[in-house]
Amino acid sequence: MKLINPKSLTFKLWVYFMLFATVILTILWLLQIIFIDRYYQSMRIKDIEKAANTITSAYSNEDFEEVMRQLSFQKGLTVHVIDTEGHILFSADMMGSTQPRKPIDNIYDPAMYELAQSATGEIMHTISDPRFRDQSLIYGRILSDSTEDNIYLFIHASLIPIDSTIRILKNQLTYISIILILLAFLISFYISRRLSKPITRITESASELAKGNYNVVFDKGEYSEVNFLSDTLNYATKELAKTESLRRELIANISHDLRTPLTMVKAYAEMVRDLSGDNPTKRTAHLKVIIDEADRLSTLVNDILDLSKIQSGTTTLNVVEFDLTKTVNQVLQRFHVFAERDGYTFHLNLSNQANVKGDKQRIEQVVYNLISNAINYSSEDKHITINIQELENSVRFEVIDSGIGIPKEELPYIWDRYYKVKENHKRAIVGTGLGLSIIKSILLMHNASFGVDSKVGAGSTFWFELKK
Ligand code: ADP
C-alpha cells in the first residue's frame, strides 16, 4: 500500500485527527489571547464593584481604613475618598499605603460632576492614556453620609498587567502549539495506521479468497467491528469451501452415475447391431436393457434438477390446505402395476380425511419417494404398511416395510445426497441416492419433523408429521 493515498482510510483518519487538534488549538488561542482581555476586564469590574460595596458598608465603622487598606492591597486597587473640594479624606493604594495625597491635577473633577448628575449614583469608565499605553478602570460612587456635602469614593484599577500576561501566554502558547501540532501529527499518523491496518489485512485475505484459496484465515483486529467482520468472513469462507467441495463431489457423482448407464446403453446397442439384431427374443431383451438404462438416466437427471431447484432456494412453497389421505391414495394408484405384476401388498390404515397445510405437489413427491423406497428395499414378503394418523396439531404419515433395514451406523447419512447404503445396492434397484435428500429438503422447507426407525433384517419405518 502506498503511504499517502488521499482516498485511504489512514489518510482520512489522519486528516480528521489533525483537524481536531487544530480546532482545539484554535479554541485555546481564542480563549487565551483574544477573549482574555474582555474576561479580565469584566473580572476587574466585578472586583471593583465588590470592593466598592464592602467599603461603602464599612464607611461609618471604626475599621474603615483597615478594610480599605486590605482591599486595595489584595485586589491591586487605588482607593480615594474625597470631599467636594477635592480634598482627600482617605486613600489607599495597592502598596498598602494610606498616606493621604492630593490627586494630581484634580483628575476627579469631571467625574465628580458626572456623578452629581447620574441617577444611579455610580459611574464606571475605562480610560486610556496613550502616553503610557495604559488602560485603567475608574469607578466612582457617592458615599454620602447624610452630611450636607457629598463624599465621593473613587476606585482606580490598572489594566496594565494583562498586556504582559498576554505576552507571556502568547509565547507559551506558540511553543505549546508547535509541540502539540508535531505530536498530533505523529500520534494521529500512528493511530490511523493502527485503526486501518486490520481492514487492510482483511482486504488482503479477501483477495486471496477471491483467487480461490479457501484456506485463508481472516485475522481479528483490536475492535469489535473488525472482529465481527472477520468472523463473518471466516464463516463465509468455510461455507464457500463446503459448497466448493460439494460441487466437486456432485460433479464426480453425477458423472459416475451418468457414465454407467451410458456405457450400458452403448454396449447393448452394439450387441443389437452386431449380434442380436436378427434374433427377436434376444433383441427384445437387449432393447429392454437399453430402455431401462435410459429411464434410469432420466430419473437421475430429474432428481438432480429437483434437488438443485429445491436447494437453490429459488423455489417457494405453494402452501394450501389439502387432504393427505386423498393424496396418498392417488400416489398409490401409480404403484398399482407393482401390486399386480410383482405381487406387492399395501396395508392401509388411513383416516377418512386428514387435512394438512403444505405444498401439495411436493408432499406428493415425498410420499411417492418413500413408497418407492419401501418397494425397492422390501424383502421377499413384499408387505408394505402405510399409516395416516391424526395427532393433536399434526398428521403423521408412516411407511413401514419389512425389508432389509438399514444398519444403525448408516442411519444419519441416508438423507445425504448420493448416499447409498453399501450392501443394499443391487443394480436392479433404480436408485440415484437423491430420493431421501429431496425428501429432507422438502420437509425442512415445511418445518415438518421427520425420521426413520430401522432394524437390519426387520425393516424400516419412514415417517413425517405435517401441521394440520
Ligand atoms: P436411492 O435412490 O438409492 O433409493 P435414497 O436417497 O432414496 O436413494 O436412499 C438412500 C439410501 O438409503 C438408499 O440407497 C438405501 O440404501 C437406503 N434406504 C432408503 N430407503 C430405505 C428402506 N426403506 N429400506 C432400506 N434402506 C433404505
Coordinates of all heavy atoms in Angstrom, one line a residue, residues 297-373:
L297 N -31.5 -43.0 -16.5 CA -30.8 -41.7 -16.8 C -31.8 -40.5 -16.6 O -31.4 -39.5 -15.9 CB -30.3 -41.6 -18.2 CG -28.9 -42.2 -18.5 CD1 -28.6 -42.2 -20.0 CD2 -27.9 -41.3 -17.8
S298 N -33.0 -40.7 -17.1 CA -33.9 -39.6 -17.0 C -34.4 -39.4 -15.5 O -34.5 -38.2 -15.1 CB -35.1 -39.7 -18.0 OG -35.9 -40.7 -17.6
T299 N -34.5 -40.5 -14.8 CA -34.8 -40.3 -13.4 C -33.7 -39.5 -12.7 O -34.0 -38.6 -11.9 CB -34.9 -41.7 -12.7 OG1 -35.6 -42.6 -13.5 CG2 -35.6 -41.6 -11.3
L300 N -32.5 -39.9 -13.0 CA -31.4 -39.3 -12.3 C -31.4 -37.8 -12.6 O -31.2 -36.9 -11.7 CB -30.1 -39.9 -12.8 CG -28.8 -39.3 -12.3 CD1 -28.6 -39.5 -10.8 CD2 -27.6 -39.9 -13.0
V301 N -31.5 -37.5 -13.9 CA -31.5 -36.1 -14.3 C -32.6 -35.3 -13.6 O -32.4 -34.2 -13.1 CB -31.6 -35.9 -15.9 CG1 -31.8 -34.5 -16.3 CG2 -30.3 -36.5 -16.5
N302 N -33.8 -35.9 -13.6 CA -35.0 -35.3 -13.0 C -34.7 -35.0 -11.5 O -35.0 -33.9 -11.0 CB -36.2 -36.1 -13.1 CG -36.8 -36.0 -14.4 OD1 -36.6 -35.0 -15.1 ND2 -37.6 -37.0 -14.9
D303 N -34.1 -36.0 -10.8 CA -33.8 -35.9 -9.4 C -32.8 -34.8 -9.2 O -33.0 -34.0 -8.2 CB -33.2 -37.2 -8.9 CG -34.3 -38.2 -8.5 OD1 -35.5 -37.8 -8.7 OD2 -34.0 -39.3 -8.0
I304 N -31.8 -34.7 -10.0 CA -30.8 -33.7 -9.8 C -31.4 -32.3 -10.0 O -31.2 -31.4 -9.2 CB -29.6 -33.9 -10.8 CG1 -28.9 -35.2 -10.5 CG2 -28.7 -32.7 -10.8 CD1 -27.9 -35.6 -11.6
L305 N -32.2 -32.2 -11.0 CA -32.9 -30.9 -11.3 C -33.8 -30.5 -10.1 O -33.7 -29.4 -9.6 CB -33.7 -31.0 -12.5 CG -33.0 -30.9 -13.8 CD1 -33.9 -30.9 -15.0 CD2 -32.2 -29.6 -13.9
D306 N -34.6 -31.5 -9.6 CA -35.4 -31.3 -8.5 C -34.7 -30.8 -7.3 O -35.0 -29.7 -6.7 CB -36.1 -32.6 -8.0 CG -37.5 -32.7 -8.7 OD1 -38.0 -31.7 -9.2 OD2 -38.0 -33.9 -8.7
L307 N -33.6 -31.5 -7.0 CA -32.9 -31.2 -5.8 C -32.2 -29.8 -5.9 O -32.2 -29.0 -5.0 CB -31.8 -32.3 -5.6 CG -31.1 -32.2 -4.2 CD1 -32.1 -32.5 -3.1 CD2 -30.0 -33.3 -4.2
S308 N -31.6 -29.6 -7.1 CA -30.9 -28.3 -7.2 C -31.9 -27.1 -7.1 O -31.7 -26.1 -6.6 CB -30.1 -28.2 -8.4 OG -30.9 -28.2 -9.6
K309 N -33.1 -27.4 -7.7 CA -34.2 -26.4 -7.6 C -34.6 -26.1 -6.2 O -34.6 -24.9 -5.7 CB -35.4 -26.8 -8.4 CG -35.7 -25.9 -9.6 CD -37.1 -26.1 -10.1 CE -37.1 -27.2 -11.2 NZ -38.4 -27.7 -11.6
I310 N -34.8 -27.2 -5.4 CA -35.2 -27.0 -4.1 C -34.1 -26.4 -3.2 O -34.3 -25.5 -2.4 CB -35.6 -28.4 -3.4 CG1 -36.9 -28.9 -4.2 CG2 -35.9 -28.2 -2.0 CD1 -37.1 -30.4 -3.8
Q311 N -32.9 -26.9 -3.4 CA -31.8 -26.4 -2.5 C -31.3 -25.1 -2.9 O -30.6 -24.4 -2.1 CB -30.7 -27.5 -2.5 CG -31.2 -28.7 -1.8 CD -30.0 -29.6 -1.4 OE1 -29.0 -29.6 -2.1 NE2 -30.2 -30.4 -0.4
S312 N -31.5 -24.6 -4.1 CA -31.0 -23.3 -4.5 C -31.8 -22.2 -3.8 O -31.4 -21.1 -3.7 CB -31.1 -23.1 -6.0 OG -32.5 -23.0 -6.4
G313 N -33.0 -22.6 -3.2 CA -33.8 -21.6 -2.5 C -34.6 -20.7 -3.4 O -35.2 -19.8 -3.0
T314 N -34.6 -21.0 -4.7 CA -35.3 -20.2 -5.6 C -36.8 -20.6 -5.6 O -37.7 -19.8 -6.0 CB -34.8 -20.3 -7.1 OG1 -34.6 -21.6 -7.4 CG2 -33.5 -19.5 -7.2
T315 N -37.1 -21.9 -5.3 CA -38.5 -22.3 -5.3 C -39.1 -21.9 -4.0 O -38.5 -21.9 -2.9 CB -38.6 -23.8 -5.4 OG1 -37.7 -24.4 -4.5 CG2 -38.4 -24.3 -6.8
T316 N -40.4 -21.4 -4.1 CA -41.1 -21.2 -2.9 C -42.2 -22.2 -2.8 O -42.7 -22.7 -3.8 CB -41.7 -19.8 -2.9 OG1 -42.3 -19.6 -4.2 CG2 -40.7 -18.7 -2.7
L317 N -42.7 -22.4 -1.6 CA -43.7 -23.4 -1.4 C -45.1 -22.8 -1.8 O -45.3 -21.6 -1.5 CB -43.8 -23.9 0.1 CG -42.6 -24.7 0.5 CD1 -42.8 -25.1 2.0 CD2 -42.5 -26.0 -0.3
N318 N -45.9 -23.6 -2.4 CA -47.2 -23.1 -2.7 C -48.1 -23.8 -1.7 O -48.7 -24.8 -1.9 CB -47.6 -23.5 -4.1 CG -49.0 -23.2 -4.5 OD1 -49.6 -22.4 -3.9 ND2 -49.5 -23.9 -5.5
V319 N -48.2 -23.2 -0.5 CA -48.9 -23.8 0.6 C -50.4 -23.7 0.5 O -51.0 -22.6 0.3 CB -48.5 -23.2 2.0 CG1 -49.2 -23.9 3.1 CG2 -47.0 -23.4 2.1
V320 N -51.1 -24.9 0.5 CA -52.5 -24.9 0.5 C -53.0 -25.9 1.6 O -52.2 -26.7 2.1 CB -53.1 -25.3 -0.9 CG1 -52.9 -24.3 -1.9 CG2 -52.4 -26.6 -1.3
E321 N -54.3 -26.0 1.8 CA -54.8 -27.0 2.7 C -55.3 -28.1 1.8 O -56.0 -27.9 0.9 CB -55.9 -26.4 3.6 CG -56.1 -27.3 4.8 CD -57.1 -26.7 5.8 OE1 -57.0 -25.4 6.0 OE2 -58.0 -27.4 6.3
F322 N -54.9 -29.3 2.1 CA -55.3 -30.4 1.3 C -55.4 -31.7 2.1 O -54.9 -31.8 3.2 CB -54.4 -30.7 0.1 CG -53.0 -31.1 0.5 CD1 -52.7 -32.5 0.5 CD2 -52.0 -30.2 0.8 CE1 -51.4 -32.9 0.9 CE2 -50.8 -30.6 1.2 CZ -50.4 -31.9 1.2
D323 N -56.1 -32.7 1.5 CA -56.4 -33.9 2.2 C -55.2 -34.9 2.0 O -55.1 -35.4 0.8 CB -57.7 -34.5 1.8 CG -58.1 -35.8 2.5 OD1 -57.3 -36.2 3.4 OD2 -59.1 -36.4 2.1
L324 N -54.4 -35.2 3.0 CA -53.3 -36.1 2.8 C -53.7 -37.5 2.4 O -53.1 -38.2 1.6 CB -52.4 -36.1 4.1 CG -51.1 -36.9 4.0 CD1 -50.2 -36.2 3.0 CD2 -50.4 -36.9 5.4
T325 N -54.8 -38.0 3.0 CA -55.3 -39.3 2.7 C -55.6 -39.5 1.2 O -55.2 -40.4 0.5 CB -56.6 -39.6 3.4 OG1 -56.4 -39.4 4.8 CG2 -57.1 -41.0 3.2
K326 N -56.2 -38.4 0.6 CA -56.6 -38.4 -0.8 C -55.3 -38.5 -1.6 O -55.2 -39.3 -2.6 CB -57.4 -37.2 -1.1 CG -58.3 -37.3 -2.3 CD -59.3 -36.2 -2.4 CE -59.4 -35.7 -3.8 NZ -60.0 -34.3 -3.8
T327 N -54.3 -37.6 -1.2 CA -53.1 -37.6 -2.0 C -52.4 -39.0 -1.9 O -51.9 -39.4 -3.0 CB -52.1 -36.5 -1.3 OG1 -52.9 -35.3 -1.2 CG2 -50.9 -36.3 -2.1
V328 N -52.4 -39.6 -0.8 CA -51.7 -40.9 -0.7 C -52.4 -41.9 -1.5 O -51.7 -42.7 -2.2 CB -51.7 -41.3 0.8 CG1 -51.2 -42.8 0.9 CG2 -50.8 -40.4 1.6
N329 N -53.7 -41.9 -1.5 CA -54.4 -42.8 -2.4 C -54.1 -42.6 -3.9 O -53.9 -43.6 -4.6 CB -55.9 -42.7 -2.2 CG -56.4 -43.5 -1.0 OD1 -55.9 -44.6 -0.8 ND2 -57.3 -42.9 -0.2
Q330 N -54.0 -41.3 -4.3 CA -53.6 -41.0 -5.6 C -52.2 -41.6 -6.0 O -52.0 -42.1 -7.1 CB -53.7 -39.5 -5.9 CG -55.1 -39.0 -6.1 CD -55.1 -37.5 -6.0 OE1 -54.2 -36.8 -5.7 NE2 -56.3 -36.9 -6.2
V331 N -51.3 -41.4 -5.1 CA -49.9 -41.8 -5.3 C -50.0 -43.4 -5.5 O -49.3 -43.9 -6.3 CB -49.0 -41.4 -4.2 CG1 -47.6 -42.1 -4.4 CG2 -48.9 -39.9 -4.2
L332 N -50.7 -44.0 -4.6 CA -50.8 -45.5 -4.6 C -51.2 -46.1 -5.9 O -50.8 -47.1 -6.3 CB -51.6 -46.0 -3.4 CG -50.9 -46.1 -2.1 CD1 -51.9 -46.4 -1.0 CD2 -49.8 -47.1 -2.1
Q333 N -52.1 -45.3 -6.6 CA -52.6 -45.8 -7.9 C -51.5 -46.0 -8.8 O -51.5 -46.9 -9.7 CB -53.6 -44.7 -8.4 CG -54.7 -44.4 -7.5 CD -56.1 -44.5 -8.2 OE1 -56.2 -43.9 -9.3 NE2 -57.0 -45.2 -7.7
R334 N -50.5 -45.1 -8.7 CA -49.3 -45.2 -9.6 C -48.5 -46.4 -9.4 O -47.7 -46.8 -10.2 CB -48.4 -43.9 -9.5 CG -49.1 -42.7 -10.2 CD -48.7 -41.4 -9.5 NE -47.3 -41.0 -9.8 CZ -46.7 -40.0 -9.2 NH1 -47.4 -39.2 -8.4 NH2 -45.5 -39.7 -9.5
F335 N -48.7 -47.0 -8.2 CA -47.9 -48.2 -7.8 C -48.7 -49.5 -8.1 O -48.3 -50.6 -7.7 CB -47.4 -48.1 -6.4 CG -46.3 -47.2 -6.1 CD1 -46.6 -45.9 -5.6 CD2 -45.0 -47.5 -6.5 CE1 -45.5 -45.0 -5.4 CE2 -44.0 -46.6 -6.3 CZ -44.2 -45.3 -5.7
H336 N -49.9 -49.3 -8.7 CA -50.7 -50.4 -8.9 C -50.0 -51.5 -9.7 O -50.2 -52.7 -9.4 CB -52.0 -49.9 -9.7 CG -53.2 -50.2 -8.9 ND1 -53.5 -49.6 -7.8 CD2 -54.2 -51.1 -9.2 CE1 -54.7 -50.1 -7.3 NE2 -55.1 -51.0 -8.1
V337 N -49.3 -51.1 -10.7 CA -48.6 -52.0 -11.6 C -47.8 -53.0 -10.7 O -47.8 -54.2 -10.9 CB -47.6 -51.3 -12.5 CG1 -47.3 -52.1 -13.7 CG2 -48.1 -49.9 -12.8
F338 N -47.0 -52.4 -9.7 CA -46.2 -53.3 -8.8 C -47.0 -54.3 -8.1 O -46.7 -55.4 -7.9 CB -45.4 -52.4 -7.9 CG -44.4 -51.5 -8.5 CD1 -44.7 -50.3 -9.0 CD2 -43.1 -52.1 -8.7 CE1 -43.7 -49.5 -9.6 CE2 -42.1 -51.3 -9.4 CZ -42.4 -50.0 -9.8
A339 N -48.2 -53.7 -7.6 CA -49.0 -54.6 -6.8 C -49.5 -55.8 -7.6 O -49.4 -57.0 -7.2 CB -50.2 -53.8 -6.3
E340 N -49.9 -55.5 -8.9 CA -50.4 -56.5 -9.7 C -49.3 -57.4 -10.3 O -49.4 -58.6 -10.2 CB -51.3 -55.9 -10.8 CG -52.6 -55.5 -10.3 CD -53.5 -54.9 -11.4 OE1 -53.0 -54.8 -12.6 OE2 -54.6 -54.5 -11.1
R341 N -48.3 -56.8 -10.8 CA -47.3 -57.5 -11.6 C -46.4 -58.3 -10.6 O -46.1 -59.4 -10.8 CB -46.5 -56.6 -12.5 CG -45.6 -57.3 -13.5 CD -44.8 -56.3 -14.2 NE -43.8 -55.6 -13.2 CZ -43.2 -54.5 -13.5 NH1 -43.3 -53.9 -14.7 NH2 -42.3 -54.0 -12.7
D342 N -45.9 -57.6 -9.6 CA -44.8 -58.1 -8.8 C -45.4 -58.7 -7.4 O -44.6 -59.2 -6.6 CB -43.8 -57.1 -8.5 CG -43.2 -56.6 -9.8 OD1 -43.2 -57.3 -10.8 OD2 -42.7 -55.5 -9.8
G343 N -46.6 -58.6 -7.2 CA -47.2 -59.2 -6.0 C -47.0 -58.4 -4.7 O -46.9 -59.0 -3.6
Y344 N -46.8 -57.1 -4.8 CA -46.7 -56.3 -3.6 C -48.1 -56.1 -3.0 O -49.1 -55.9 -3.7 CB -46.1 -54.9 -3.9 CG -44.6 -55.0 -4.1 CD1 -44.1 -55.1 -5.4 CD2 -43.7 -55.0 -3.0 CE1 -42.7 -55.2 -5.6 CE2 -42.3 -55.1 -3.3 CZ -41.9 -55.2 -4.6 OH -40.5 -55.3 -4.8
T345 N -48.2 -56.1 -1.6 CA -49.4 -55.8 -1.0 C -49.3 -54.6 -0.1 O -48.3 -54.4 0.6 CB -50.0 -57.0 -0.1 OG1 -48.9 -57.5 0.6 CG2 -50.5 -58.1 -1.0
F346 N -50.2 -53.7 -0.2 CA -50.2 -52.5 0.6 C -51.3 -52.6 1.7 O -52.4 -52.9 1.4 CB -50.5 -51.3 -0.2 CG -49.4 -51.0 -1.3 CD1 -49.6 -51.3 -2.6 CD2 -48.2 -50.4 -0.9 CE1 -48.7 -51.1 -3.5 CE2 -47.3 -50.2 -1.8 CZ -47.5 -50.5 -3.2
H347 N -50.9 -52.4 3.0 CA -51.8 -52.4 4.1 C -52.0 -50.9 4.4 O -51.1 -50.3 4.8 CB -51.3 -53.2 5.3 CG -51.0 -54.6 5.0 ND1 -52.0 -55.6 5.0 CD2 -49.8 -55.2 4.6 CE1 -51.4 -56.7 4.6 NE2 -50.1 -56.5 4.4
L348 N -53.3 -50.5 4.4 CA -53.5 -49.1 4.6 C -54.3 -48.9 5.9 O -55.3 -49.5 6.1 CB -54.3 -48.5 3.4 CG -53.7 -48.7 2.0 CD1 -54.6 -48.1 1.0 CD2 -52.3 -48.1 1.9
N349 N -53.8 -48.0 6.7 CA -54.5 -47.6 7.9 C -54.7 -46.0 7.8 O -53.9 -45.3 8.3 CB -53.8 -47.9 9.2 CG -53.5 -49.3 9.3 OD1 -54.4 -50.2 9.2 ND2 -52.2 -49.7 9.5
L350 N -55.7 -45.6 7.0 CA -55.8 -44.2 6.7 C -57.1 -43.7 7.3 O -58.1 -44.4 7.3 CB -55.8 -43.9 5.2 CG -54.8 -44.6 4.4 CD1 -55.0 -44.3 2.9 CD2 -53.4 -44.2 4.8
S351 N -57.0 -42.5 8.0 CA -58.2 -41.9 8.4 C -59.0 -41.4 7.2 O -58.3 -41.1 6.2 CB -57.9 -40.8 9.5 OG -56.9 -40.0 9.0
N352 N -60.3 -41.2 7.4 CA -61.1 -40.8 6.2 C -60.6 -39.5 5.6 O -60.6 -39.4 4.4 CB -62.5 -40.6 6.7 CG -63.2 -42.0 6.9 OD1 -62.7 -43.0 6.3 ND2 -64.2 -42.0 7.7
Q353 N -60.3 -38.6 6.4 CA -59.8 -37.3 5.9 C -58.7 -36.8 6.8 O -58.9 -36.9 8.1 CB -61.0 -36.4 5.8 CG -60.7 -35.3 4.8 CD -61.9 -34.3 4.7 OE1 -62.9 -34.4 5.4 NE2 -61.7 -33.3 3.9
A354 N -57.7 -36.3 6.3 CA -56.6 -35.7 7.1 C -56.1 -34.5 6.4 O -55.2 -34.5 5.6 CB -55.5 -36.7 7.3
N355 N -56.7 -33.4 6.9 CA -56.3 -32.1 6.2 C -55.0 -31.6 6.8 O -54.8 -31.5 8.0 CB -57.4 -31.1 6.4 CG -58.5 -31.3 5.4 OD1 -58.4 -32.1 4.4 ND2 -59.7 -30.7 5.7
V356 N -54.1 -31.2 5.9 CA -52.8 -30.7 6.3 C -52.5 -29.4 5.5 O -53.2 -29.2 4.5 CB -51.7 -31.7 6.1 CG1 -51.8 -32.8 7.1 CG2 -51.6 -32.2 4.7
K357 N -51.6 -28.7 6.0 CA -51.1 -27.5 5.2 C -49.8 -27.8 4.6 O -48.9 -28.2 5.4 CB -51.0 -26.3 6.2 CG -52.4 -25.6 6.5 CD -52.2 -24.2 6.9 CE -53.5 -23.6 7.4 NZ -53.6 -23.6 8.9
G358 N -49.7 -27.5 3.3 CA -48.4 -27.7 2.7 C -48.5 -27.6 1.2 O -49.5 -27.2 0.7
D359 N -47.3 -27.8 0.6 CA -47.3 -27.7 -0.9 C -47.7 -29.1 -1.4 O -46.9 -30.0 -1.3 CB -45.9 -27.3 -1.4 CG -45.8 -27.1 -2.9 OD1 -46.5 -27.9 -3.6 OD2 -45.1 -26.1 -3.3
K360 N -48.9 -29.2 -2.0 CA -49.5 -30.5 -2.3 C -48.6 -31.3 -3.2 O -48.3 -32.5 -3.0 CB -50.8 -30.2 -3.0 CG -51.6 -31.5 -3.2 CD -53.1 -31.2 -3.5 CE -53.9 -32.4 -3.8 NZ -54.0 -32.7 -5.2
Q361 N -48.0 -30.6 -4.3 CA -47.2 -31.3 -5.2 C -46.0 -31.9 -4.6 O -45.6 -33.0 -4.9 CB -46.9 -30.4 -6.4 CG -47.3 -30.9 -7.7 CD -46.9 -29.9 -8.8 OE1 -46.8 -28.7 -8.5 NE2 -46.5 -30.4 -9.9
R362 N -45.4 -31.1 -3.8 CA -44.1 -31.5 -3.2 C -44.3 -32.6 -2.2 O -43.5 -33.6 -2.1 CB -43.4 -30.3 -2.5 CG -43.1 -29.2 -3.4 CD -41.6 -28.9 -3.5 NE -41.3 -28.0 -4.5 CZ -40.7 -28.3 -5.7 NH1 -40.4 -29.5 -5.9 NH2 -40.4 -27.4 -6.6
I363 N -45.4 -32.6 -1.4 CA -45.7 -33.6 -0.4 C -46.0 -34.9 -1.2 O -45.6 -36.0 -0.8 CB -46.9 -33.2 0.5 CG1 -46.5 -32.0 1.3 CG2 -47.3 -34.4 1.4 CD1 -45.3 -32.2 2.3
E364 N -46.6 -34.7 -2.3 CA -46.9 -35.9 -3.2 C -45.6 -36.6 -3.5 O -45.4 -37.8 -3.5 CB -47.6 -35.4 -4.4 CG -48.6 -36.5 -5.0 CD -49.3 -35.9 -6.2 OE1 -50.1 -35.0 -6.0 OE2 -49.0 -36.3 -7.3
Q365 N -44.6 -35.8 -3.9 CA -43.3 -36.3 -4.3 C -42.7 -37.0 -3.1 O -42.0 -38.1 -3.3 CB -42.4 -35.1 -4.7 CG -41.2 -35.5 -5.4 CD -40.4 -34.2 -5.9 OE1 -40.8 -33.1 -5.6 NE2 -39.4 -34.4 -6.6
V366 N -42.8 -36.5 -1.9 CA -42.2 -37.1 -0.7 C -42.9 -38.5 -0.5 O -42.2 -39.5 -0.3 CB -42.5 -36.2 0.6 CG1 -42.2 -37.0 1.8 CG2 -41.7 -34.9 0.5
V367 N -44.2 -38.5 -0.6 CA -44.9 -39.8 -0.4 C -44.5 -40.8 -1.4 O -44.2 -41.9 -1.1 CB -46.5 -39.5 -0.5 CG1 -47.2 -40.8 -0.5 CG2 -46.9 -38.7 0.7
Y368 N -44.4 -40.3 -2.7 CA -44.0 -41.2 -3.8 C -42.6 -41.8 -3.5 O -42.4 -43.0 -3.6 CB -44.0 -40.4 -5.1 CG -43.6 -41.2 -6.3 CD1 -44.6 -41.9 -7.0 CD2 -42.3 -41.3 -6.7 CE1 -44.3 -42.7 -8.1 CE2 -42.0 -42.1 -7.8 CZ -43.0 -42.8 -8.5 OH -42.6 -43.6 -9.5
N369 N -41.7 -40.9 -3.2 CA -40.3 -41.4 -3.0 C -40.2 -42.4 -1.8 O -39.5 -43.4 -1.9 CB -39.4 -40.2 -2.6 CG -39.0 -39.4 -3.9 OD1 -39.4 -39.8 -5.0 ND2 -38.2 -38.3 -3.7
L370 N -41.0 -42.1 -0.8 CA -40.9 -43.0 0.4 C -41.5 -44.4 0.0 O -40.9 -45.4 0.4 CB -41.7 -42.4 1.6 CG -41.0 -41.3 2.3 CD1 -41.9 -40.7 3.4 CD2 -39.6 -41.7 2.9
I371 N -42.7 -44.4 -0.7 CA -43.3 -45.7 -1.0 C -42.4 -46.4 -2.0 O -42.1 -47.6 -1.9 CB -44.7 -45.4 -1.6 CG1 -45.6 -44.8 -0.5 CG2 -45.3 -46.8 -2.1 CD1 -47.0 -44.5 -1.0
S372 N -41.8 -45.6 -2.9 CA -40.9 -46.2 -3.9 C -39.7 -46.9 -3.2 O -39.2 -48.0 -3.6 CB -40.5 -45.1 -4.9 OG -39.2 -45.3 -5.4
N373 N -39.1 -46.2 -2.2 CA -38.0 -46.8 -1.5 C -38.5 -48.1 -0.8 O -37.7 -49.1 -0.8 CB -37.5 -45.8 -0.4 CG -36.5 -44.9 -1.0 OD1 -36.1 -45.0 -2.1 ND2 -36.0 -43.9 -0.2

